[in-house]
Amino acid sequence: MLTKRLLIAGLLLLTFTAFFTACKKGDTGPAGAQGPAGPQGPKGDTGVANAIWSSWAYAGTIKDSVIDNSNVSIAPLLAPALTSARIANSTILVYFTYGSGYLLLPYTSYAGNKPNTMGFVTLPGKFIITRFTHDNSNAVKLSSILQYRYVIIPGGTPAPTSYDYNTVTRYYHAPPEQPIY
């Protein structure tokens, strides 16, 4: 009785194995008709994909240096989005704040009873924030309480009528970002 069951089970297994492994795959049939187009997606915000915005950040360690025989105060500001190609082909704006408004670099003021100018130098991966006094005394240093935010506007992107911070943030739909206090 046991051998009869084993014989039947073996034959069934052999039949199923032969059935599934001996089948020849047929030729691929013709492609079906094109389906209908999907619905139109929502319109994207103008300018968001074009401008690259940083968050507000403090610059690194402030040091004294000399650039073109001018005594300057300098500090690095990391900018991972700043590549050689973007430096060569973009408009780059750097703003700073000290808690009362947003100012565009370069910026000239009369601090410490001396006219002085803040600016920046672009390098791949970072900015060098600079400040020099017009009499070359380097008496007015960069402040560690200043915060900076930059925007990289690729070449060919339309420009606003003003580079005022509020105008630029509205024009390029900047992500909302508040300085760190």
Side-chain angles (χ1 to χ4, degrees):
M1 182 70 127
L2 182 60
T3 53
K4 190 176 180 182
R5 279 188 180 170
L6 284 175
L7 181 61
I8 293 173
L11 286 174
L12 283 174
L13 181 61
L14 185 60
T15 304
F16 281 117
T17 303
F19 179 75
F20 287 111
T21 59
C23 292
K24 178 183 174 227
K25 184 173 178 169
D27 294 331
T28 302
Q34 177 70 29
Q40 176 69 32
K43 181 175 176 8
D45 292 335
T46 303
V48 172
N50 297 334
I52 301 165
W53 288 87
S54 73
S55 297
W56 285 100
Y58 293 100
T61 303
I62 299 167
K63 299 188 296 188
D64 289 337
S65 187
V66 176
I67 299 175
D68 289 337
N69 289 324
S70 295
N71 295 314
V72 295
S73 179
I74 64 170
L77 178 66
L78 295 180
L82 193 58
T83 63
S84 295
R86 287 182 174 143
I87 291 170
N89 300 306
S90 302
T91 298
I92 300 170
L93 305 174
V94 178
Y95 295 92
F96 77 98
T97 186
Y98 53 90
S100 180
Y102 307 105
L103 303 166
L104 178 64
L105 295 179
Y107 177 76
T108 300
S109 68
Y110 195 78
N113 291 322
K114 293 192 179 272
N116 64 91
T117 300
M118 291 177 58
F120 64 92
V121 175
T122 54
L123 297 170
K126 68 181 175 180
F127 294 97
I128 303 297
I129 305 298
T130 64
R131 187 175 208 170
F132 67 91
T133 53
H134 294 192
D135 66 0
N136 204 28
S137 67
N138 201 20
V140 182
K141 308 288 185 187
L142 283 170
S143 171
S144 61
I145 67 167
L146 300 178
Q147 293 180 59
Y148 304 89
R149 187 179 193 192
Y150 63 85
V151 59
I152 301 170
I153 306 163
T157 303
T161 56
S162 163
Y163 287 123
D164 166 76
Y165 181 78
N166 293 320
T167 301
V168 172
T169 56
R170 278 192 307 272
Y171 189 83
Y172 291 112
H173 302 280
E177 188 74 35
Q178 295 298 317
I180 311 159
Y181 295 112

